[in-house]
Amino acid sequence: MISRLAHLPWFAGLPADVLTHIARHGAELSLADQQVLFLKDSPAQYLALVLSGQVYHLLHNQDGRELIIDRSQVGDWVGESALLEGHDRRDCTAVADGATRVWLLPRAQFGPLTGNPEFLRRMFASVCRRMRTHTEHVETLCLHQLGPRLARHLLRMVDEQPHAASVPGVWLHPPKQSVLASMVNVSRPKLNAQLRNWQRNGLIHHQPNILHILDVEKLRRIAYGECDM
């Protein structure tokens, strides 16, 4: 486990005793697709590290409507507030997207980590990045219509994946439509209508599990209010 941690960018250069502590006192957990890692308001008994797959952070109301507010990918932590703020309750629900493996470190083992300045610095940096993501997400949901909201989300996916400049457009493998709808806070019928409109206008070509963005620059103009579609 120590070698696996050392190969993750987040852990590069951390003291060996920190890696040893995490490896020695943690345990691996395998999650099936849509399996819950923890529920909102449940006891914050551990810190989790994503080893494979990804974990969605979501909120839901009494009617079962869900809003995905963030995600943790390979090498990301889940539930950092348990370590940094000492919160004893979770502030969201965490659910696996696809087959996912996480490394769990119980609260009783936090002491040596909070006592290491470099570990804390990196953890605070991770939380700050997450806060920026949440701020952008709130801005997008509250201040923009569906077209710009969806465009901004797709642009984030474009920025996350390397692609050859010589290839026209960008090929994406978006999440299931129910998940994508939860990310942009809209019903599936409205999401489908927006995608069909973009396809009719030559902005995208959409088929099951594949989304070909034919004009990334036009999508960027839609995202930032310079073009209406």
Side-chain angles (χ1 to χ4, degrees):
M1 183 61 192
I2 294 177
S3 62
R4 292 166 68 186
L5 292 176
H7 281 88
L8 294 173
W10 198 94
F11 293 88
L14 275 179
D17 60 329
V18 173
L19 301 182
T20 300
H21 179 81
I22 295 173
R24 181 173 297 170
H25 297 286
E28 186 172 317
L29 174 67
S30 295
L31 301 170
D33 183 35
Q34 298 301 302
Q35 185 174 346
V36 173
L37 175 60
F38 54 73
L39 292 169
K40 186 178 185 297
D41 295 324
S42 63
Q45 299 174 335
Y46 52 80
L47 183 66
L49 174 72
V50 181
L51 300 176
S52 68
Q54 63 180 353
V55 174
Y56 285 129
H57 306 231
L58 58 89
L59 301 172
H60 52 83
N61 64 13
Q62 294 179 342
D63 297 327
R65 183 174 179 180
E66 296 181 348
L67 173 63
I68 295 175
I69 58 174
D70 205 350
R71 61 174 174 164
S72 294
Q73 303 181 81
V74 174
D76 292 337
W77 292 99
V78 186
E80 302 97 324
S81 61
L83 180 142
L84 295 177
E85 298 181 309
H87 281 181
D88 59 358
R89 297 288 170 180
R90 302 295 189 185
D91 54 10
C92 67
T93 294
V95 178
D97 177 50
T100 299
R101 292 180 299 115
V102 296
W103 189 257
L104 303 183
L105 189 71
R107 178 184 286 274
Q109 303 301 328
F110 289 174
L113 303 182
T114 56
N116 183 277
E118 179 59 18
F119 182 90
L120 276 184
R121 186 194 69 78
R122 297 185 188 198
M123 188 61 75
F124 277 118
S126 295
V127 171
C128 286
R129 285 193 295 271
R130 196 179 297 283
M131 288 178 63
R132 287 194 294 271
T133 299
H134 288 181
T135 299
E136 181 181 352
H137 194 56
V138 170
E139 174 194 352
T140 300
L141 292 181
C142 296
L143 302 180
H144 299 285
Q145 299 297 318
L146 173 58
R149 292 206 309 266
L150 181 57
R152 290 187 178 203
H153 179 77
L154 295 178
L155 285 173
R156 283 195 293 271
M157 295 182 63
V158 169
D159 292 339
E160 288 173 358
Q161 78 168 40
H163 52 275
S166 59
V167 177
V170 179
W171 295 86
L172 298 177
H173 297 278
K176 293 178 291 188
Q177 287 201 359
S178 58
V179 173
L180 186 57
S182 294
M183 288 177 168
V184 297
N185 194 29
V186 70
S187 66
R188 286 187 64 182
K190 289 184 177 180
L191 174 67
N192 288 331
Q194 182 66 67
L195 292 172
R196 287 196 300 269
N197 177 50
W198 283 355
Q199 182 153 305
R200 284 195 303 270
N201 285 277
L203 180 65
I204 65 171
H205 178 65
H206 186 225
Q207 51 189 311
N209 302 317
I210 297 176
L211 183 64
H212 186 194
I213 300 177
L214 302 170
D215 191 336
V216 175
E217 290 310 311
K218 189 169 185 178
L219 185 70
R220 200 174 303 277
R221 293 197 300 272
I222 293 171
Y224 294 98
E226 300 171 8
C227 177
D228 186 18
M229 183 182 292

